[in-house]
């Protein structure tokens, strides 16, 4: 089993596994850091046997992902074992291109759990971070309540006089959080500001820019048609049984003939 990571620790890493070998009882795969180049990905496929043939001449053409390593909290649960590699690479590139503050907002938005149902959603999330407000200094209901009462300018505490000393910041903050659906994350408090979320990527892989793709059209053709060598047909169990029956019958007839000849002598 190969466990090399060819690009070091990426935005996230995925363990790419040879599906045919896995079905045969072998875990043959390799850790890949995303984003990755097409050339690096092709080298991985060679090392894990994609494009090679089994004992019957059938090519190993399919792969899947058996594990992820994701530094971004919550991202692990958003990625599936049969995720499209071009989409994964697109997502990793989009995350890598974010500024530090945008990355923090993205990570917080992933924890919030909106638009995280697919890699397509996550790609679109990177394009719609202006739909969220992230308050990096707010980490509790008490902080949230204090912000709205004392710092937001929404209330004039001076007009309250001595009553302002009895404000329950924690209770007030909790009510606000429940009402607007925000959540506390490692990067602070995040909430959807109700701006329009615009779908930039519709899930059509042809819409992925070439510079973000793992596969070129040539790569895909080579995998779909892996060899010009003749591939023998793998006999079915029923056919093998029929062939064995014929062989046994032939051996029996031959033995009977030899026996009869011996008796005649």
């Amino acid at each position: 089993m190969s466990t090399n990571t060819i690009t070091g620790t990426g935005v996230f890493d995925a363990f790419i596994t040879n599906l045919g070998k896995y079905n045969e009882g072998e875990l043959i795969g390799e850790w890949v850091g995303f984003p990755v180049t097409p050339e690096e990905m092709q080298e991985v496929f060679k090392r894990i046997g994609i494009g090679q043939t089994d004992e019957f001449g059938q090519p190993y053409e399919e792969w899947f992902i058996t594990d992820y390593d994701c530094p971004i909290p919550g991202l692990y649960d958003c990625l599936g074992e049969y995720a499209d590699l071009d989409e994964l690479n697109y997502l990793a590139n989009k995350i890598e291109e974010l500024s530090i503050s945008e990355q923090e907002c993205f990570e917080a938005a992933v924890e919030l759990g909106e638009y995280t149902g697919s890699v397509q959603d996550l790609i679109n999330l990177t394009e719609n971070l202006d739909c969220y407000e992230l308050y990096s200094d707010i980490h509790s209901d008490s902080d949230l309540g204090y912000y709205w009462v004392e710092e937001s300018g929404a209330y004039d505490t001076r007009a309250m006089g001595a009553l302002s000393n009895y404000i329950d910041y924690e209770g007030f903050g909790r009510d606000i959080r429940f009402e607007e659906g925000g959540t506390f994350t490692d990067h602070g408090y995040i909430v959807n500001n109700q701006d329009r979320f615009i779908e930039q990527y519709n899930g059509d892989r042809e819409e992925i820019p070439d510079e973000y793709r793992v596969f070129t059209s040539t790569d895909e053709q080579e995998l779909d048609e892996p060899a010009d060598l003749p591939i023998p047909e793998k006999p079915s169990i029923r056919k093998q049984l029929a062939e064995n029956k014929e062989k046994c019958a032939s051996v029996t007839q031959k033995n009977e003939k030899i026996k009869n000849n011996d008796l005649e002598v």
Side-chain angles (χ1 to χ4, degrees):
M1 177 178 69
S2 175
T3 57
N4 296 327
T5 302
I6 63 170
T7 60
T9 301
V11 173
F12 53 82
D13 298 343
F15 194 81
I16 312 297
T17 303
N18 184 320
L19 180 59
K21 286 289 188 181
Y22 183 82
N23 290 334
E24 294 170 0
E26 293 185 77
L27 182 60
I28 305 297
E30 187 166 315
W31 282 105
V32 178
F34 285 82
V36 64
T37 67
E39 294 76 17
E40 290 170 333
M41 195 70 251
Q42 289 304 313
E43 288 301 316
V44 170
F45 282 152
K46 289 179 183 178
R47 289 195 290 271
I48 68 174
I50 300 298
Q52 299 176 14
T53 56
D54 62 17
E55 59 183 309
F56 299 101
Q58 299 294 327
Y60 295 109
E61 296 180 300
E62 298 180 291
W63 59 88
F64 72 117
I65 299 171
T66 49
D67 200 8
Y68 289 96
D69 183 17
C70 304
I72 299 175
L75 187 62
Y76 182 94
D77 295 327
C78 303
L79 305 177
E81 60 182 344
Y82 293 106
D84 182 88
L85 297 185
D86 277 334
E87 282 195 341
L88 287 177
N89 211 46
Y90 189 14
L91 172 63
N93 274 285
K94 295 298 291 182
I95 295 173
E96 191 174 61
E97 291 169 359
L98 298 174
S99 67
I100 294 177
S101 61
E102 288 173 333
Q103 286 186 21
E104 291 177 350
C105 186
F106 174 80
E107 292 178 14
V110 169
E111 288 193 65
L112 182 62
E114 297 180 347
Y115 303 102
T116 58
S118 66
V119 178
Q120 176 187 341
D121 285 343
L122 291 166
I123 292 169
N124 282 309
L125 182 59
T126 66
E127 298 279 3
N128 287 273
L129 296 176
D130 55 348
C131 293
Y132 298 90
E133 300 293 341
L134 178 63
Y135 301 87
S136 58
D137 295 330
I138 298 177
H139 297 277
S140 67
D141 287 330
S142 182
D143 290 344
L144 184 59
Y146 184 88
Y147 167 79
W148 278 107
V149 173
E150 302 288 349
E151 299 176 354
S152 70
Y155 300 94
D156 185 0
T157 55
R158 290 176 300 177
M160 297 181 186
L163 290 176
S164 62
N165 297 325
Y166 300 94
I167 296 175
D168 179 3
Y169 295 116
E170 183 177 0
F172 186 58
R174 182 171 57 251
D175 289 346
I176 291 176
R177 176 169 57 85
F178 286 160
E179 180 179 330
E180 63 185 11
T183 192
F184 299 111
T185 74
D186 291 342
H187 295 296
Y189 178 75
I190 189 168
V191 62
N192 189 320
N193 61 23
Q194 304 305 314
D195 278 356
R196 184 186 173 198
F197 191 99
I198 301 174
E199 183 182 83
Q200 302 285 353
Y201 170 60
N202 64 7
D204 182 358
R205 211 181 73 186
E206 295 301 318
E207 297 300 318
I208 298 176
D210 290 341
E211 62 268 27
Y212 297 140
R213 292 191 183 191
V214 169
F215 298 112
T216 64
S217 58
T218 303
D219 295 332
E220 291 171 337
Q221 184 176 2
E222 289 176 352
L223 287 174
D224 289 337
E225 301 174 2
D228 294 325
L229 299 175
I231 300 175
E233 180 183 356
K234 182 178 179 179
S236 66
I237 294 176
R238 185 178 296 276
K239 185 176 181 180
Q240 291 181 62
L241 289 173
E243 290 175 353
N244 289 339
K245 184 177 180 180
E246 290 178 4
K247 289 178 182 179
C248 290
S250 176
V251 170
T252 301
Q253 292 175 2
K254 183 177 181 180
N255 290 338
E256 287 292 334
K257 184 176 181 180
I258 294 174
K259 183 178 178 180
N260 291 335
N261 290 337
D262 290 342
L263 290 175
E264 290 175 0
V265 173

